[in-house]
Structure formats: C-alpha cells, structure tokens
C-alpha cells in the first residue's frame, strides 16, 4: 500500500510498502498518529521496511532538512 499525506504549504509526505493503512482519504492525521503498518513489498524486498519521500510544490526534497531521524 501507498499513503500520501497532504500538508500545509505545498508539502506531501509519501509512505510506501505499508502492510496495512489506518487512515482514509480526507482524514485529518494528528502528530504521533499511526497512519499504517510497515510491510515487505516489492519483488526484491528482504524484509519489513518503509519507503519515505518528502515533496514540496511538485519537487522531491531532502527530508533531513525538516526531520531528525536519530
């Protein structure tokens, strides 16, 4: 499954390879809310993982400029 969330100011966050999705189209998602469960999708997948992308105004951007992954 793929989840695409629309944020303020032209941002999109995209989550791929979900095993299940906990939100639906038009839902409001709050900070800390689980939007889905990571899965193992793709023909070359070697295990459970999450593919994450951040876009602004139609262009991919480095999410580390906005989010600390540590």
């Amino acid at each position: 499954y793929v989840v695409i969330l629309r944020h303020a100011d032209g941002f999109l966050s995209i989550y791929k390879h979900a095993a299940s999705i906990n939100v639906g189209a038009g839902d409001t998602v709050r900070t800390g809310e689980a939007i889905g469960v990571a899965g193992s999708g793709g023909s070359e997948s070697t295990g459970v993982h999450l593919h994450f992308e951040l876009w602004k105004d139609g262009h991919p951007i480095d999410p580390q400029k906005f989010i600390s992954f540590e």
Side-chain angles (χ1 to χ4, degrees):
Y1 293 104
V2 175
V3 177
I4 301 173
L5 299 181
R6 238 176 247 287
H7 304 271
D9 300 326
F11 283 96
L12 292 176
S13 57
I14 302 170
Y15 309 82
K16 297 179 180 179
H17 305 295
S20 64
I21 299 173
N22 299 343
V23 297
D27 287 355
T28 298
V29 179
R30 302 191 191 295
T31 300
E33 182 178 347
I35 60 170
V37 176
S40 181
S43 62
E44 297 182 28
S45 176
T46 58
V48 175
H49 64 284
L50 174 70
H51 179 103
F52 175 74
E53 298 176 16
L54 188 60
W55 291 66
K56 175 150 175 60
D57 298 325
H59 301 281
I61 58 173
D62 182 357
Q64 293 182 85
K65 294 180 180 179
F66 303 91
I67 301 168
S68 173
F69 291 98
E70 293 183 25

